[in-house]
Amino acid sequence: MGTVGTLRTAGIGSGDEVIVPAYGNAEVAEAVVQVGATPVFADIDPDTYCIDPAHVAACVGRRTAAVVAVHRFGNQADMARLRELGKRHEVLVLEEGESAKPYEEVARRRAHASYLSGRLNGVRTPVGHERHTYQQYVVRVPGNGRPDRDAFARVLRSKGVDCTVPVKTPVHRMPGFRRDVALPETERAADETLALPVEAAMSHRQLQRMVSACNALGGLLQPAF
């Protein structure tokens, strides 16, 4: 059962509000609208990129019927805090997972991530933990936000590094969902994040080349003032 079915089964519809993350794709917000409810956008934890329970608590109102947490990039949302919040406010807490990968693939991705995190400089590497599966290896490019991140990405691609911007536009900035809300961590993540490849099939030489390409560029970036 997808998000739409789960919301409908729970009786959520017109007049209800559902708190969702703004950092990510629009599918969860679209599901909320499809059942007749209103999405309310919450900020993210800057380390995990998942919905921030503290900001969710600040978003809860008398019409709040549910919260949808989305696990992101192989990071896990803080479900314990969210469920405690849901119990306290009598709000349904749902979670959207990511497609599970075979153990061997996850082990290889973790090994690649460990290699990169130990050698990359000039970018902020992911905050690692034992449950991180590195569905994507997402770094922060310092400097002046989106212009420096996009320039960094263009040069890497020219050197054969297949990097991608994981979230180009937060949902609360998209047509049809635009909201005048302050979500600083979401905005910052959309401007700074870049996903570097960590596919299990990558060779050690490919990883070395990527490190060399990134580190050569890191020193050219100027911090924002």
Side-chain angles (χ1 to χ4, degrees):
M1 185 184 299
T3 304
V4 171
T6 302
L7 292 171
R8 281 181 175 154
T9 299
I12 294 171
S14 180
D16 292 327
E17 293 180 346
V18 179
I19 300 173
V20 301
Y23 184 77
N25 56 42
E27 290 178 2
V28 174
E30 288 170 348
V32 173
V33 171
Q34 194 170 334
V35 300
T38 301
V40 173
F41 297 107
D43 213 349
I44 56 167
D45 179 303
D47 292 332
T48 66
Y49 304 104
C50 300
I51 200 166
D52 179 7
H55 196 249
V56 169
C59 292
V60 172
R62 62 181 182 81
R63 295 173 57 195
T64 305
V67 177
V68 182
V70 181
H71 304 310
R72 186 78 63 199
F73 308 144
N75 283 305
Q76 300 292 307
D78 190 342
M79 297 307 300
R81 286 179 64 193
L82 289 169
R83 289 191 181 108
E84 191 278 330
L85 183 151
K87 183 181 296 185
R88 186 167 68 248
H89 293 281
E90 297 184 345
V91 167
L92 179 67
V93 176
L94 306 175
E95 57 182 313
E96 288 279 327
E98 297 176 300
S99 299
K101 296 186 181 296
Y103 174 81
E104 294 79 6
E105 181 173 345
V106 171
R108 288 283 290 172
R109 285 174 173 268
R110 284 175 171 156
H112 292 341
S114 178
Y115 177 88
L116 293 175
S117 293
R119 289 163 179 80
L120 286 171
N121 56 59
V123 296
R124 176 184 161 193
T125 56
V127 176
H129 55 80
E130 68 277 3
R131 296 180 64 195
H132 202 321
T133 60
Y134 295 99
Q135 300 269 8
Q136 294 190 69
Y137 183 87
V138 178
V139 301
R140 299 280 191 122
V141 179
N144 296 293
R146 190 177 297 253
D148 279 351
R149 190 273 314 277
D150 290 349
F152 191 94
R154 282 194 298 271
V155 175
L156 287 187
R157 293 184 193 115
S158 75
K159 295 179 179 294
V161 177
D162 187 22
C163 58
T164 59
V165 174
V167 176
K168 294 181 179 179
T169 306
V171 185
H172 72 297
R173 298 297 184 213
M174 293 180 179
F177 293 108
R178 191 172 294 277
R179 302 285 192 279
D180 184 18
V181 293
L183 303 176
E185 295 299 344
T186 293
E187 300 276 3
R188 193 172 296 115
D191 286 348
E192 295 178 350
T193 49
L194 188 67
L196 302 179
V198 285
E199 283 75 14
M202 289 181 68
S203 68
H204 185 69
R205 186 168 181 79
Q206 286 175 306
L207 293 171
Q208 286 180 316
R209 287 176 176 170
M210 182 161 59
V211 168
S212 296
C214 288
N215 289 355
L217 285 169
L220 302 177
L221 297 172
Q222 298 298 316
F225 292 101

